Amino acid sequence: MRLPAFLNGAVGRFRLPGTLRTRLTAAFSGLILLAASVVTVALANRSVAVQLEAQQRVGESLLHMLVPALQVTTRKEQTLGLDGFVSRAAEDVAVAELRISDASGYRLYEHMRNDEPAAWYTQLFARDAAHPRRLRADTANETGPLRIEVTLANAPLNATVRHVIAQSVAITLGLLLLTFILAYALLSRFTAPLKPLTEWAREFSRGNWKPGVELIPSNSSEIQELNQAFTDGSAAMRHYISSLSEARELLEHSENQLRKLIDSMHEILFELDTEGRVVFLNPAWERLTGFKIEDTLGKAFGDYLMDEEILRDFAATQLGELHEKNREISLRTAAGKRLWVSLDADAQRDAGGNFSGVIGTLGDITKSVELNRLLSRYQDELYHMSVTDPLTGLYNRRHFDTQLEVILSDHLAKSRSVCLLLIDLDGFKFINDTYGHPFGDEVLRTTAQLLKQQVRRNDYIARLAGDEFAMVLKNTNLENATKIAQKLHHQISHTRVPLPVGSMQLQSSIGVAEAPTHGRKAQELVSAADVALYHSKRRGRNRIEALSPDVSQAMMSIFSQGFQLRNALEEGNIHPAFQPICDMKSGEPMAYEVLARMSIDGTLIQAKDFIAVAEELGLTRDVDLHIIRTALSVTPTNQALFLNVDLTSFNDRGFVKELGALLKPACEAGRSITIEITEREAIPLSDTLRQDIQELRALGCKLALDDFGSGYSTYNFLNQFRPDYLKIEGSFVRGMTENEADRKIVMHIHELAMAFGMQTIAESVEDKATEKALRQIGIGNAQGLLYGAPRLSASVALSS
């Protein structure tokens, strides 16, 4: 509610005393003044009433005295003779005027006093008086009717009121002075504790939460509570300010750390607005792209992208749905080059769910991309070298084993038969011994050319060994395969290879087998064709032999082999054998590879002769765990071991858990353990497999990749897992002193390992010439018969 303008002005000009005690004293004094004023008014009213009553009695007495006197006066002269009597009667100060007149209004007598007018305060107090100021009486005598009028005087009333007011003012001033002094003294004592509180409040307003003013104790519960509240509030505020200060320092520290972290990040940290314009970049942007940050801010991020596909995703209409994880893209640098980066970015939304921009990171993967390209080139070269025979250009045995399994899996699933031809040149050893290896090589090249000419478009040919070739006939039954074999045999038999003098006619023996009649697996089909080829040679050579069902059943059943393997596991006839892996400089073992051997009736069977059965029957994990458990228990704890683990075993989650339980105590004891991964069939490199291998490495285990160059996905495995050791497949090592292609493969594998920071181990080193060739390449570790064969006894093995 607003006050009128004149009141606002009055209030603005009027100022109450400053301190509380002064205000309270003034209030008490005002109350006393108000009470005194009321008393004064009451006394004045009472005094005026008493005075008026006294004057009334005087006037009435005068009238009562004059009426009888005038009645006995009969003549005018007598009436006039009353002047002395009346004058004496009118001498009273209460009478201001006395007048006697006849019926005609003629004044017979008039006595007037020099009276003062009624003062304003007299008029104020006598305003409501019940007593009249003018008295009148009528009488008569012989002369006729007479009227007597008496007017009361104002001077006594004025004097009475002034006297009452003077006394009241004097008394009031005394009381005011006494009240002021007492009230001020008492209030000064009572309000003394408020002064330090005021000082505290003043200091608080200045930000000083620990004033140096001492609070005054008081008996007043309110003051005590106020003192306590100020003390507690000061302590709480100091604690709060201290906490705020610590939080601010921590926040500043965290902010500085975050700023340093952002500034030192190798990845580019960026932020875009809703239109795709750049609003933030860390220093990595300028370092990697060459563009200055201040020149980039405000520009469209798409201006720096080089691929149409990612440009569409960063269009303003698509940004709200952006979610990218590890996406490989390329940026344009200031030098005009392509920078490969890994993109992680997400659309951001505010509290209301509205799109507010994009935040993301760009990690430099240029070296990784270039390394992968180099790796891909090496892989292509090594793959070509590893799957083809350098002499004939046909596929080699390793590739044949792989492809035959794939062909069988594909065709048998569609109920299509597959036939295998094994071709062996008769008398090839005689040719080499008689005419020399160069002529023998020419014979092999000529035979390969004949096979290429005879093979159908979708069929497959390979060189398996020195003079043994294979031809896989797809979607062909045994009868048609025999006809094709006869045609091929005819062509070989009528081929002559020129000699320095004359020529030589070729002869061949061919074995034919059919899947699924003679087996559904590659090994079964090869074994069946081997049996057919064996029968062809036994029956005189230079002929074709198709395997009959009776001959196929004469082969050892895979299941009978599985029975022997299970018995060996149950009876403890699977033993670890230890072969040293040596440092070629010192000749001393740096570790021992643990190999599996099966003992049957006193005969030791190597792993390669029963591991396929184990895989077929799902016993690989049992064999691996048994060999690892036994090897750990029979060797010294300070002995470094390479433990073979088939990659397929990782498909069993129980195997991974049990393997970790076996290796953890050994690793914690400080033993050097290397997990040697072997691949016998194509296994997808899943996230679960990566996690399992990472857990083994976390225990302290190292990782080695066995038979590099002959596996199914070794290059992918190499890129994904970065093993510590790379073991070069023994067939390349054995042939490197005589075959330049094998030597190049070994050299490329070593160079590849060096590029990835790995150590290489050459397998199947059997002579000093091979050792010398390996040293020339730079390979430092090797194993093979030159350093020691695998031995069952741990003590013998470790002392070798």
Side-chain angles (χ1 to χ4, degrees):
M1 177 178 179
R2 300 185 61 184
L3 295 173
F6 74 91
L7 287 180
N8 278 332
V11 172
R13 290 190 297 273
F14 180 73
R15 293 290 184 270
L16 292 174
T19 63
L20 178 61
R21 61 171 174 261
T22 306
R23 292 187 178 191
L24 291 175
T25 302
F28 287 141
S29 300
L31 292 175
I32 295 299
L33 180 61
L34 179 61
S37 300
V38 172
V39 171
T40 300
V41 171
L43 289 175
N45 278 329
R46 180 61 182 163
S47 298
V48 169
V50 170
Q51 185 64 33
L52 286 174
E53 187 178 351
Q55 285 184 320
Q56 182 75 24
R57 286 196 299 270
V58 171
E60 290 176 352
S61 297
L62 183 57
L63 289 177
H64 290 161
M65 180 179 64
L66 288 177
V67 168
L70 290 176
Q71 288 177 351
V72 296
T73 305
T74 57
R75 290 183 299 189
K76 183 177 180 180
E77 293 81 6
Q78 292 176 328
T79 302
L80 295 173
L82 291 174
D83 183 55
F85 172 75
V86 174
S87 294
R88 288 193 298 274
E91 286 297 328
D92 195 306
V93 294
V95 178
E97 181 182 357
L98 175 63
R99 179 184 297 169
I100 302 174
S101 58
D102 56 16
S104 62
Y106 175 77
R107 296 179 181 177
L108 301 177
Y109 177 82
E110 184 177 24
H111 176 78
M112 296 183 62
R113 187 185 299 277
N114 188 17
D115 191 19
E116 63 187 45
W120 63 269
Y121 42 82
T122 302
Q123 294 177 7
L124 178 64
F125 293 120
R127 180 176 55 197
D128 298 326
H131 304 288
R133 300 297 294 155
R134 184 182 295 275
L135 303 178
R136 180 184 301 167
D138 293 326
T139 186
N141 59 11
E142 292 179 354
T143 62
L146 297 174
R147 172 170 290 181
I148 307 170
E149 295 177 337
V150 177
T151 302
L152 300 178
N154 292 318
L157 286 176
N158 289 342
T160 298
V161 174
R162 283 197 298 272
H163 178 70
V164 170
I165 291 175
Q167 286 184 337
S168 298
V169 168
I171 293 172
T172 300
L173 289 176
L175 287 174
L176 281 176
L177 180 60
L178 181 61
T179 299
F180 186 85
I181 293 172
L182 291 176
Y184 191 85
L186 290 174
L187 290 174
S188 295
R189 180 178 179 184
F190 292 153
T191 61
L194 297 178
K195 185 175 182 180
L197 291 176
T198 304
E199 290 295 327
W200 275 50
R202 187 178 296 111
E203 291 298 318
F204 285 176
S205 67
R206 297 171 181 169
N208 179 14
W209 295 101
K210 192 176 182 181
V213 181
E214 184 177 356
L215 296 177
I216 301 175
S218 173
N219 294 329
S220 170
S221 59
E222 291 84 356
I223 297 296
Q224 291 176 1
E225 292 178 1
L226 194 58
N227 283 347
Q228 188 63 41
F230 267 77
T231 304
D232 295 344
S234 175
M237 191 56 68
R238 288 198 302 272
H239 176 72
Y240 177 68
I241 291 176
S242 176
S243 299
L244 281 180
S245 178
E246 293 176 359
R248 184 171 59 251
E249 292 177 359
L250 182 60
L251 182 61
E252 290 176 354
H253 176 73
S254 300
E255 184 179 353
N256 290 333
Q257 291 296 103
L258 181 59
R259 186 177 296 109
K260 290 179 181 177
L261 178 62
I262 292 175
D263 290 345
S264 62
M265 283 177 61
H266 296 295
E267 296 85 2
I268 297 171
L269 179 63
F270 69 93
E271 182 179 0
L272 310 180
D273 62 14
T274 56
E275 298 298 322
R277 293 185 293 266
V278 181
V279 297
F280 174 80
L281 290 167
N282 67 336
W285 170 264
E286 191 168 324
R287 186 170 61 252
L288 293 177
T289 66
F291 291 108
K292 292 187 176 298
I293 294 177
E294 55 269 22
D295 296 337
T296 308
L297 295 178
K299 294 184 178 179
F301 185 69
D303 294 346
Y304 302 92
L305 300 174
M306 300 190 69
D307 301 320
E308 288 295 330
E309 182 180 357
I310 191 65
L311 271 171
R312 289 193 296 269
D313 293 338
F314 273 87
T317 55
Q318 301 296 321
L319 281 179
E321 306 300 326
L322 188 66
H323 175 72
E324 298 291 347
K325 186 71 173 177
N326 295 331
R327 183 174 181 179
E328 188 177 293
I329 66 170
S330 58
L331 298 177
R332 175 176 57 87
T333 67
K337 296 182 179 180
R338 184 183 292 266
L339 175 69
W340 289 99
V341 292
S342 176
L343 170 66
D344 289 327
D346 285 289
Q348 305 296 306
R349 302 196 176 274
D350 56 22
N354 300 314
F355 172 56
S356 59
V358 173
I359 294 179
T361 59
L362 299 167
D364 182 12
I365 58 172
T366 303
K367 291 184 178 180
S368 177
V369 170
E370 292 175 352
L371 183 60
N372 284 337
R373 288 181 176 178
L374 177 62
L375 176 62
S376 178
R377 193 181 74 201
Y378 274 142
Q379 183 175 354
D380 292 342
E381 292 177 0
L382 290 174
Y383 177 76
H384 179 73
M385 289 177 157
S386 64
V387 302
T388 61
D389 172 48
L391 178 63
T392 63
L394 301 180
Y395 289 114
N396 60 20
R397 179 61 183 260
R398 286 185 293 272
H399 191 265
F400 168 78
D401 291 339
T402 304
Q403 285 301 110
L404 181 57
E405 196 69 61
V406 173
I407 293 171
L408 289 175
S409 176
D410 178 58
H411 282 66
L412 297 184
K414 301 174 182 177
S415 299
R416 296 175 182 175
S417 58
V418 176
C419 288
L420 173 62
L421 277 57
L422 291 183
I423 304 102
D424 188 87
L425 293 177
D426 296 334
F428 183 73
K429 186 176 185 305
F430 172 80
I431 294 174
N432 269 338
D433 294 342
T434 303
Y435 301 104
H437 288 285
F439 183 76
D441 291 345
E442 182 62 28
V443 169
L444 294 176
R445 282 193 289 268
T446 301
T447 304
Q449 196 62 31
L450 288 173
L451 293 176
K452 292 178 182 178
Q453 294 172 359
Q454 294 299 317
V455 74
R456 299 178 303 179
R457 178 181 299 178
N458 294 324
D459 293 339
Y460 176 91
I461 52 177
R463 179 189 175 194
L464 301 185
D467 63 339
E468 187 176 358
F469 298 85
M471 178 180 290
V472 180
L473 305 176
K474 302 177 183 177
N475 196 23
T476 302
N477 57 27
L478 188 60
E479 181 181 355
N480 289 330
T482 303
K483 291 179 181 179
I484 294 173
Q486 290 171 348
K487 183 178 180 181
L488 177 61
H489 183 266
H490 177 77
Q491 289 294 330
I492 295 175
S493 298
H494 288 79
T495 300
R496 293 183 176 272
V497 180
L499 290 170
V501 178
S503 62
M504 188 189 71
Q505 182 177 353
L506 299 181
Q507 293 182 350
S508 64
S509 298
I510 301 176
V512 184
E514 180 191 24
T517 304
H518 303 117
R520 305 186 66 88
K521 297 289 184 180
Q523 188 59 44
E524 295 172 354
L525 187 60
V526 171
S527 297
D530 268 334
V531 171
L533 182 61
Y534 171 74
H535 282 277
S536 174
K537 289 181 176 293
R538 285 189 63 186
R539 293 175 181 176
R541 302 178 183 273
N542 196 27
R543 58 182 288 123
I544 300 169
E545 189 71 37
L547 189 65
S548 67
D550 293 339
V551 176
S552 176
Q553 293 173 359
M555 299 168 54
M556 180 181 288
S557 170
I558 190 73
F559 295 104
S560 65
Q561 295 181 48
F563 177 79
Q564 290 179 342
L565 180 60
R566 286 193 182 92
N567 283 343
L569 276 173
E570 293 173 0
E571 296 172 5
N573 289 327
I574 303 292
H575 308 287
F578 302 86
Q579 183 175 30
I581 302 173
C582 293
D583 183 337
M584 287 194 292
K585 291 183 179 179
S586 65
E588 295 297 323
M590 50 86 71
Y592 287 84
E593 181 179 2
V594 180
L595 303 168
R597 295 292 183 266
M598 182 167 63
S599 175
I600 298 179
D601 299 329
T603 301
L604 284 180
I605 301 176
Q606 296 185 11
K608 65 184 181 65
D609 296 324
F610 64 85
I611 200 65
V613 178
E615 290 177 356
E616 184 70 21
L617 301 178
L619 297 175
T620 306
R621 68 177 303 279
D622 297 327
V623 172
D624 286 346
L625 290 174
H626 173 77
I627 291 298
I628 292 172
R629 186 182 297 108
T630 306
L632 291 174
S633 65
V634 301
T635 55
T637 57
N638 62 347
Q639 181 58 58
L641 297 178
F642 275 56
L643 304 175
N644 284 285
V645 177
D646 193 286
L647 201 57
T648 59
S649 297
F650 285 90
N651 293 331
D652 185 346
R653 305 305 301 162
F655 168 82
V656 177
K657 183 177 181 181
E658 192 169 349
L659 178 62
L662 278 176
L663 298 181
K664 183 177 180 181
C667 293
E668 290 177 347
R671 171 174 280 202
S672 176
I673 299 293
T674 300
I675 302 297
E676 189 169 325
I677 298 296
T678 59
E679 287 182 292
R680 298 187 180 91
E681 64 182 76
I683 300 296
L685 302 182
S686 63
D687 291 337
T688 303
L689 177 61
R690 295 187 188 95
Q691 181 180 355
D692 293 338
I693 291 180
Q694 187 60 35
E695 288 178 1
L696 292 176
R697 283 185 143 176
L699 294 176
C701 297
K702 296 180 180 179
L703 189 64
L705 184 58
D706 192 22
D707 294 334
F708 184 77
S710 64
Y712 288 79
S713 57
T714 49
Y715 289 97
N716 194 18
F717 187 97
L718 178 67
N719 188 36
Q720 293 287 337
F721 295 98
R722 305 295 175 94
D724 304 279
Y725 298 96
L726 208 59
K727 300 189 74 174
I728 304 174
E729 212 278 325
S731 62
F732 299 135
V733 177
R734 285 192 300 269
M736 64 180 292
T737 56
E738 297 180 0
N739 191 315
E740 180 62 19
D742 287 340
R743 192 189 70 81
K744 287 184 178 180
I745 290 175
V746 173
M747 183 176 64
H748 280 309
I749 292 175
H750 178 64
E751 290 176 353
L752 186 62
M754 295 294 291
F756 280 89
M758 307 170 192
Q759 296 187 48
T760 49
I761 300 173
E763 297 183 306
S764 302
V765 180
E766 299 176 355
D767 51 57
K768 289 291 184 179
T770 303
E771 182 185 58
K772 182 179 179 181
L774 292 171
R775 285 183 176 180
Q776 289 175 349
I777 292 175
I779 297 174
N781 303 310
Q783 70 180 112
L785 297 180
L786 180 63
Y787 305 103
R791 299 188 181 183
L792 289 182
S793 172
S795 60
V796 173
L798 299 180
S799 63
S800 298

